[in-house]
Amino acid sequence: MSSWLAPFKRWFRRRPEIPHGLWQHTLNQLSIFDHLGTEERARLKQLSEEFLASKEFTGAQGLELQDAMLTNISAQACLPILELGLSAYRDWVGIIVYPGEFLVPRQVMDEAGVLHEYEDTVAGEAWEGGPVLISWQDAQLADGDYNVVIHEFAHKLDMLNGEVDGIPALHSGLQRSEWENVLYRAYDDFCHRLDNGEALMLDAYAAEHPSEFFAVTSESFFANPHGLQAAYPELYQLLRRYYRQDPARRPT
């Protein structure tokens, strides 16, 4: 366990202070932070420190957690809740970090009622009421539309109000009927275009379920905001109002 993190684990989870140099290095690594101003970056740092104090990181498969790993994942995880607050990640504490992709057991019942069990290779997973599982290798690959950390933590936002359906707990100013109308219309359009063989800016995995569409479009909202805004402007505006951020204001 890293030297500056271990003390607050012992002493009642006091908020650690991320070293300035490490914080700047983390922000400079990923373009998702480019649109943030000085004040926003300072608030993100404080939120990330509070996040570290409230969650428990565990290395899997012999992975030794280092300061840079914890800071990187925390900063990415906290970007979506910069204006929502840490309470958006309440009721769970665990984050398990794997060196790379890992296997998750699955069960599927076929039409004949036969249960099939298999193992799925994944880069991330969010469990209802439980931990978030992240591949460190993939967390470092965050680029373009791909961001496994934001994807899995978007699922946690979706889970906050119960059913995992692509509709997170909405704050004032957003109505469920409006959310369903905009998100589901964009989802249906995406699935229709995908079925027709069109080349699309979103990963095809977004068609799996509205919850995956929300997670994938959340990735793009922060990682490729101009692309999402061009493809689905109404959905981009909905996400802008939900996250209370406007990443597309950064230069192309």
Side-chain angles (χ1 to χ4, degrees):
M1 183 61 68
S2 54
S3 58
W4 63 271
L5 182 63
F8 87 86
K9 287 285 187 183
R10 292 196 299 267
W11 296 102
F12 308 102
R13 298 181 180 277
R14 291 181 301 177
R15 178 166 69 88
E17 183 176 348
I18 299 172
H20 176 75
L22 176 58
W23 180 248
Q24 290 303 123
H25 175 72
T26 300
L27 295 185
N28 292 338
Q29 281 185 309
L30 299 172
S31 62
I32 57 173
F33 303 115
D34 289 352
H35 71 286
L36 299 177
T38 302
E39 185 270 338
E40 291 170 312
R41 290 178 175 225
R43 284 195 292 112
L44 181 64
K45 181 175 184 289
Q46 179 176 338
L47 187 62
S48 298
E49 292 167 345
E50 293 171 354
F51 178 85
L52 282 166
S54 68
K55 304 303 180 188
E56 292 184 358
F57 283 77
T58 303
Q61 298 177 347
L63 180 66
E64 183 178 346
L65 299 178
Q66 303 294 328
D67 295 357
M69 298 179 186
L70 302 178
T71 303
N72 182 298
I73 293 172
S74 297
Q76 292 189 63
C78 287
L79 180 59
I81 62 165
L82 179 59
E83 304 298 340
L84 301 178
L86 193 58
S87 64
Y89 290 157
R90 62 184 179 271
D91 300 332
W92 61 275
V93 297
I95 300 168
I96 303 174
V97 186
Y98 288 78
E101 292 184 334
F102 51 94
L103 298 175
V104 174
R106 305 288 193 204
Q107 293 183 337
V108 176
M109 186 79 71
D110 66 20
E111 295 180 356
V114 178
L115 183 65
H116 299 270
E117 297 183 349
Y118 65 98
E119 291 185 321
D120 193 13
T121 302
V122 299
E125 181 104 334
W127 292 355
E128 293 185 63
V132 174
L133 286 61
I134 294 290
S135 156
W136 170 236
Q137 181 180 35
D138 285 83
Q140 298 176 87
L141 294 176
D143 191 24
D145 287 44
Y146 183 68
N147 191 297
V148 67
V149 176
I150 289 178
H151 183 105
E152 298 308 330
F153 280 86
H155 281 316
K156 278 298 187 182
L157 295 173
D158 193 352
M159 294 171 182
L160 187 59
N161 61 345
E163 185 178 359
V164 186
D165 54 3
I167 306 173
L170 302 176
H171 48 71
S172 61
L174 284 170
Q175 301 298 320
R176 183 183 178 92
S177 58
E178 178 188 14
W179 188 276
E180 290 177 343
N181 181 48
V182 174
L183 184 121
Y184 289 165
R185 188 167 63 246
Y187 173 69
D188 289 342
D189 176 79
F190 178 78
C191 292
H192 176 74
R193 293 186 178 188
L194 191 66
D195 289 342
N196 288 339
E198 292 187 39
L200 303 170
M201 56 82 61
L202 294 173
D203 191 294
Y205 189 62
E208 289 289 315
H209 188 272
S211 63
E212 296 298 346
F213 188 72
F214 169 62
V216 170
T217 55
S218 290
E219 290 180 71
S220 291
F221 178 77
F222 290 102
N224 183 14
H226 295 286
L228 182 64
Q229 188 177 46
Y232 291 104
E234 192 175 9
L235 177 60
Y236 179 87
Q237 291 304 319
L238 186 73
L239 294 175
R240 180 189 63 78
R241 290 165 57 200
Y242 169 67
Y243 286 115
R244 293 171 170 161
Q245 299 184 57
D246 189 5
R249 74 171 186 253
R250 72 178 182 229
T252 54

